[in-house]
Structure formats: structure tokens, C-alpha cells
């Protein structure tokens, strides 16, 4: 039902900032919690940040807390991940996901996924 397309990834130096975008179509976007996940070599796909359907509540993994901010503009069917103070450890393919089932931010609990956008942080 829902299609998600990520954009905004690229190659940056440590300490730089990037803003990722997730554009949604084909569903009732305004009523979906949206999460950002990432997958790096040597690790499982992990939760990064999430946002409630109306943007009133946000969640983040401890490793990015204070550096990454998630926001949404429902009128534009878009969710953003503003990343600052990037570290080499943030290098990964970043995915947005929707269709949360249950109450846990886990990859297995998300029904719809984008193809991902690659973020590479060099030092």
C-alpha cells in the first residue's frame, strides 16, 4: 500500500551534517509512525529514530541521541532525519520504514520499507 523513497545520502567528512528525506506515497501517510533504520557491514539492521503519527513524540537510539533529529511534514508526505556531528560509525545504508505493528521499534515490526540511501562518513 505504501511506497517510501529515501534521499539525501552521500559522502561527507566526520563532523558534517546531512539531512535525509523519506517521501511516502500510496497510503495514509499522516497516520503512520515512521522510523529510520540503518544497516552497516558487520551489524544487524538497527533502529535509529522514530516519530509518531502526528509528530508529537520522537524516539532515538542512544548512539545518535543529541546528534540526530527526526521530524515530519505530513502535508508533504515527508519525514526527515537531520544528522549532525556525523561520525565514521554512522556509515550505513539508511532506510525509512512505515506500517509499525506493535509498540516496538524493530525492523521486523515495520511493514513498508524504502530502498535505502547510503551515508558514508570519512575521517
Amino acid at each position: 500500500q505504501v511506497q517510501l523513497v529515501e534521499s539525501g545520502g552521500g559522502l561527507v567528512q566526520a563532523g558534517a551534517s546531512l539531512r535525509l528525506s523519506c517521501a511516502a506515497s500510496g497510503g495514509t501517510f499522516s497516520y503512520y509512525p515512521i522510523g529510520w533504520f540503518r544497516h552497516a557491514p558487520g551489524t544487524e539492521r538497527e533502529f535509529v529514530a522514530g516519530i509518531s503519527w502526528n509528530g508529537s513524540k520522537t524516539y532515538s537510539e542512544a548512539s545518535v541521541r543529541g546528534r540526530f533529529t527526526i521530524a515530519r511534514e505530513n502535508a508533504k508526505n515527508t519525514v526527515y532525519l537531520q544528522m549532525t556531528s556525523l561520525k565514521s560509525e554512522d556509515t550505513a545504508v539508511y532506510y525509512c520504514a512505515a506500517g509499525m505493528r506493535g509498540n516496538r521499534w524493530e525492523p521486523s515490526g515495520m511493514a513498508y520499507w524504502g530502498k535505502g540511501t547510503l551515508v558514508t562518513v570519512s575521517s
Side-chain angles (χ1 to χ4, degrees):
Q1 291 180 292
V2 176
Q3 295 182 359
L4 305 170
V5 179
E6 304 94 336
S7 63
L11 173 63
V12 299
Q13 294 182 340
S17 299
L18 279 176
R19 187 178 73 165
L20 306 183
S21 298
C22 173
S25 63
T28 54
F29 175 81
S30 295
Y31 299 101
Y32 277 124
I34 301 291
W36 284 96
F37 298 77
R38 65 187 180 187
H39 188 196
T43 187
E44 300 291 330
R45 185 176 298 193
E46 66 175 350
F47 171 70
V48 177
I51 189 165
S52 63
W53 70 272
N54 62 358
S56 64
K57 300 194 70 174
T58 60
Y59 312 83
S60 63
E61 182 64 30
S63 64
V64 307
R65 200 165 298 151
R67 298 189 297 118
F68 292 8
T69 301
I70 188 170
R72 69 190 299 163
E73 295 187 68
N74 286 349
K76 297 181 179 180
N77 293 334
T78 302
V79 171
Y80 305 98
L81 183 67
Q82 178 66 50
M83 305 184 295
T84 63
S85 300
L86 282 163
K87 303 182 293 185
S88 60
E89 300 95 300
D90 297 317
T91 295
V93 177
Y94 284 72
Y95 302 86
C96 65
M100 188 177 186
R101 297 168 293 201
N103 61 355
R104 297 175 62 86
W105 292 101
E106 297 179 335
S108 61
M110 310 301 290
Y112 310 106
W113 292 84
K115 296 293 186 181
T117 185
L118 177 63
V119 172
T120 303
V121 183
S122 65
S123 61

